[in-house]
Each structure stands twice: as C-alpha cells, then as structure tokens.
C-alpha cells in the first residue's frame, strides 16, 4: 500500500536544515517551536529513521537527513510550482527592500526565500546602502520597506532589537594601542557621530585615517591594522574581530535595528513586515561571530 509524505512536515524539515535550528525555523514558518518539533517527530516516525542529530547544542543532519533533504527540496519545489500555476494571480508587482550591508546576514536571505515562496509573482528588489541614504530613499518613496541601524528610531520606525556596539580591529592587531587613536568611519556611517562624541567625552585623542563614502574602504584599513572601528557585536568584516582592550577604550554605545514600512494596509508589505519581525525577535545571537562576505 502506498504511503504519503506530509508536505507541511517536509517544509518544516527543510526550514530547520536551512536555518540550523528549530527556533529560527519556527519564526520563518510562523509556527510555534512545539509545532515544528512535532512535525519533525511525525516525519521521523513515518520514515522510521532519525533525521536530526540532537546530541550537540546545534542541530545537524544525520546521514538519512542529508539524503532526505535533497528529495524534500525537489518535492517542495514541485508542490509550490503546481500551487502557483493553478491558483489566483492577484499578488503581483515589485517591492523594494532596503538593508545596510552589515545586517544582511544571517536573516535577510531566509526571509527573501520565504517571501518568494509565498508571493512568487512579486518581484523583490533589494537595495543595500548606509542607513542615512536608506532613510532618504524611504522618504522619497523609493523603498517600500527598510531596515536601519540607529541609536533611536525616527518617525514611524519600529525598533526590533537593541544590540551593543564593540570596538573591532585587525585580528591580532595593535592599532588600538596607538595615540592618538586611529579610527575609521565612512562619511555615511550612522554610528560615526555618536562614537566620536563618546571618545571626546572620555577625553580620548583620535585621528580619522580614512575619508570615503564606502564601507569597504573602512574595512580595508581596519583589516590592515591601520585603524579601529565600531560595529554591531557579532557582525565583523573578514580578518577583523573585537578588541580585548579590558576597558581601556570607552564604550562605543549601542544600536537598534529599526523597521520602516510605507503602508501598513498593504497585505504583501504587512506579510513581509511580519516575517522580518519574527526573524529578528525570535532569536538574535550576537555572541556568534558573523563574517561578512567580501
């Protein structure tokens, strides 16, 4: 007798495999953790195999789980294609999402993937730019949704999570010991004025060693151990990391990830907003280092 696999359970399994945990998967799927765990359990019971290795703190796939993952992706893709072709076409158009480059990972790619699955006829265009520029674009109506990094939300902004800033420098570097303190911030960096004020308040002599509108220029001089920079804890450019200064340097402050939405009565935009909310509120792990891609 033929036996059928449950598509919903397969979708939960793929979400856990992609996100690396039940908590994050639950956020992407808009389900409770217990619901996702129950679906995984039913899937394992139906196949009579163990799909996840739960012996460590992080969830990983067993050999059977890795084998199923390939089949599950194909089954979900076919399921979604059938559903898309045979259902209504009322949701079409384009959405422009603006995100600063330093908070794209780890949540934006899974959000984009989930949104594309729910609204396959809506074209998503992402703009990556500093917060100041995104706020200007949003004010002109050029972005439908933006995420920003700000100390305080602007009008209409919703603070999702508050994260500390830390001093970062080249791995194993010593630039932070120099006086005056060599610092690097691009002209559009939203952290720049606040961090420099904290240095001034602490009567710390500093020297700006980069003059650029681009973040990659800052990353270059910091990774070369020519200057230090302040960044969101856990989000560091390659070849850099937090400075263990033991309180020698003043606290650079904190930042909030803020969400702005053009229209709260648009069902597509509100769905995207809810996906973003859930992703950031479910489990932000700043203690984990996120290496930015080159």
């Amino acid at each position: 007798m033929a036996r059928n696999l449950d598509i919903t359970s397969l979708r939960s399994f793929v979400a856990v495999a992609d996100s690396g945990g039940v908590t994050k998967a639950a956020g992407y799927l808009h389900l409770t953790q217990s619901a996702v765990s129950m679906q995984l359990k039913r899937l394992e019971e139906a196949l009579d195999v163990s799909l996840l290795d739960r012996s460590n703190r992080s969830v990983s796939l067993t050999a059977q789980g890795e084998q199923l993952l390939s089949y599950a992706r194909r089954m979900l893709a076919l399921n979604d294609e059938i559903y898309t072709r045979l259902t209504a076409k009322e949701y079409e158009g384009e959405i422009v999402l603006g995100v600063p480059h330093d908070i794209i990972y780890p949540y934006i790619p899974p959000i984009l993937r989930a949104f594309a699955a729910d609204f396959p006829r809506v074209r998503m265009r992402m703009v990556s730019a500093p917060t100041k520029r995104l706020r200007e674009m949003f004010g002109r109506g050029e972005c439908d949704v933006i995420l920003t990094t700000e100390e305080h939300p602007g009008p209409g902004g919703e603070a999702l999570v508050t994260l500390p800033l830390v001093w970062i420098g080249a791995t194993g570097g010593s630039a932070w010991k120099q006086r005056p303190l060599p610092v690097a911030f691009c002209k559009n960096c939203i952290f720049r004025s606040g961090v420099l004020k904290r240095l001034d308040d602490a009567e710390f002599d500093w020297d700006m060693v980069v003059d650029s509108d681009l973040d990659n220029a800052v990353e270059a001089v910091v990774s070369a151990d020519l200057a230090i920079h302040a960044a969101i804890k856990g989000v560091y450019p390659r070849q850099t990391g937090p400075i263990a200064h033991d309180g020698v340097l003043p606290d650079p402050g904190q930042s909030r990830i803020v969400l702005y939405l053009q229209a709260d009565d648009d069902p597509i935009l509100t769905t995207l907003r809810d996906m973003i909310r859930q992703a950031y509120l479910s489990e932000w792990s700043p203690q984990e280092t996120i290496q930015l891609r080159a």
Side-chain angles (χ1 to χ4, degrees), residues 90-91 97 127 130 140 151 160 197 207 215 249 286:
E90 61 269 28
Y91 294 128
L97 170 66
V127 175
R140 295 192 297 265
E151 187 172 357
L160 299 178
K197 183 178 184 303
D207 181 30
D215 290 306
L249 302 178

Side-chain angles (χ1 to χ4, degrees), residues 283-294:
E283 187 183 0
W284 176 273
S285 302
Q287 70 275 12
E288 297 175 2
T289 299
I290 302 166
Q291 291 291 344
L292 300 183
R293 295 187 179 181

Side-chain angles (χ1 to χ4, degrees), residues 37-111:
S37 295
M38 183 60 68
Q39 289 172 4
L40 293 175
K41 181 179 179 182
R42 289 174 179 171
L43 186 59
E44 289 180 320
E45 291 176 347
L47 295 171
D48 193 26
V49 296
S50 178
L51 300 173
L52 301 175
D53 182 358
R54 301 175 176 85
S55 60
N56 299 318
R57 182 177 179 182
S58 60
V59 175
S60 59
L61 299 181
T62 62
Q64 293 91 340
E66 291 176 344
Q67 186 175 22
L68 175 64
L69 184 60
S70 175
Y71 288 113
R73 291 193 196 281
R74 288 153 56 189
M75 290 181 68
L76 290 175
L78 183 58
N79 174 85
D80 295 345
E81 181 182 350
I82 294 171
Y83 190 85
T84 299
R85 289 181 178 274
L86 300 181
T87 54
K89 302 181 180 179
E90 61 269 28
Y91 294 128
E92 296 181 335
E94 179 183 80
I95 287 180
V96 180
L97 170 66
V99 188
H101 85 288
D102 54 350
I103 60 169
I104 290 177
Y105 295 95
Y107 290 119
I108 297 304
I111 290 171

Side-chain angles (χ1 to χ4, degrees), residues 113-127:
R113 187 185 305 119
F115 183 85
D118 287 351
F119 299 98
R121 291 186 175 84
V122 176
R123 180 173 178 262
M124 175 70 77
R125 182 163 64 90
M126 192 178 81
V127 175

